[in-house]
Amino acid sequence: QVTAPVVDDEANMSVFWQLLMLYCNPAYPLADVLNNQGITGNMLDERDVWFIWTTLTSLGLPRATTHLASKLVTSYAAQLDRIGLWEWSVFVAQHLPAGRSATIRNLVKRNITRNTTDVATLCEEERRCLHDYHVDGNMFHCARALHARYSRDWSKVVTWYTAAQMFDSAHRILLDNIAPQKIVSREEGDLIPLLTALQQHRYDIQNWENEGAIYFSYLHLPSVLPQGEEELELARHQISTTGHMLNNLPTVPSQRSVLLT
């Protein structure tokens, strides 16, 4: 003799009934099966709904509509994000039928480690996203660039844009917000690592030869007079070339005009 289980909350039995109905009739509305009220009674708790949906999908049972799938995924991803499990939220967001990249990008922007200065430095959650979930690493670099831009830390903006392979953006930030000020304040040494990283991708940067290359050439002029005749001739040619390049700079703001002077 089989005794039916005793359940205090009748609402919890509803999901079993709905699953039996779906088993008997594959055309049974999946939205009724995945109704939160019949599973936990808590309309804000999407955990069980998510696991039931993914289990049904893996068994090849009728798939949810795009609208229902999007609602389930976004609700559970938001729930995980609220309690600090943002890397798991990224995993859940990868099940979105549409708008997946934008959702993951926004999650990364909100939760990125902002105080990182090394491109190779990753926290455990970021490593999991990159290596286990195969999230595009450029999303992390762009997110850090955005936070650095908000705090007006322009050197970090250039560093992260370069790491994200957004070379044109890095080049423009360098010219408009860093290079003239550094030259005028005699802190041009800070420009060398930024320009060197960009110079390696000079063919991917629009108008590099007429802008960034001029700073790069200027900062690599010899600091002492060469001793040998051959070295002296080479330095003379380098200085002459840089002078012509400076004359070709486009119309510039006042600070860059000070630099030319």
Side-chain angles (χ1 to χ4, degrees), residues 52-106:
I52 291 173
W53 173 60
T54 53
T55 301
L56 292 175
T57 301
S58 66
L59 294 174
L61 292 175
R63 294 184 177 274
T65 62
T66 300
H67 174 73
L68 178 59
S70 298
K71 176 182 177 297
L72 292 174
V73 172
T74 53
S75 297
Y76 189 39
Q79 181 179 350
L80 290 169
D81 189 28
R82 282 196 303 271
I83 61 177
L85 298 175
W86 71 269
E87 74 277 17
W88 291 107
S89 180
V90 169
F91 170 75
V92 171
Q94 289 183 319
H95 294 74
L96 276 170
R100 186 179 306 131
S101 295
T103 301
I104 294 175
R105 188 179 298 110
N106 289 332

Side-chain angles (χ1 to χ4, degrees), residues 193-234:
L194 301 177
L195 283 166
T196 300
L198 288 175
Q199 199 269 344
Q200 296 174 4
H201 305 279
R202 57 190 179 278
Y203 300 115
D204 300 319
I205 300 175
Q206 185 177 5
N207 213 27
W208 167 261
E209 291 300 326
N210 294 324
E211 295 183 317
I214 299 176
Y215 287 98
F216 185 80
S217 177
Y218 168 75
L219 293 174
H220 285 80
L221 290 174
S223 56
V224 296
L225 191 65
Q227 299 298 320
E229 183 67 27
E230 184 177 346
E231 293 179 354
L232 185 61
E233 183 61 30
L234 181 62

Side-chain angles (χ1 to χ4, degrees), residues 1-2 5 8 16 23 30 47 51 54 57 69 75 77-78 111 122 138 141 150 182 187 197 200 203 216 230 232 239:
Q1 183 178 2
V2 179
D8 294 333
F16 303 128
Y23 176 77
L30 196 58
R47 291 174 297 174
F51 289 117
T54 53
T57 301
S75 297
N111 296 282
L122 296 173
N138 286 341
H141 302 324
Y150 178 78
K182 291 293 184 181
E187 297 174 338
Q200 296 174 4
Y203 300 115
F216 185 80
E230 184 177 346
L232 185 61
I239 294 172

Side-chain angles (χ1 to χ4, degrees), residues 9 24 44 59 82 117-118 140 146 161 188 191 217 229 250:
D9 189 353
C24 297
L44 298 178
L59 294 174
R82 282 196 303 271
T117 56
D118 184 2
F140 292 89
L146 181 66
Y161 273 155
E188 58 269 17
L191 294 175
S217 177
E229 183 67 27

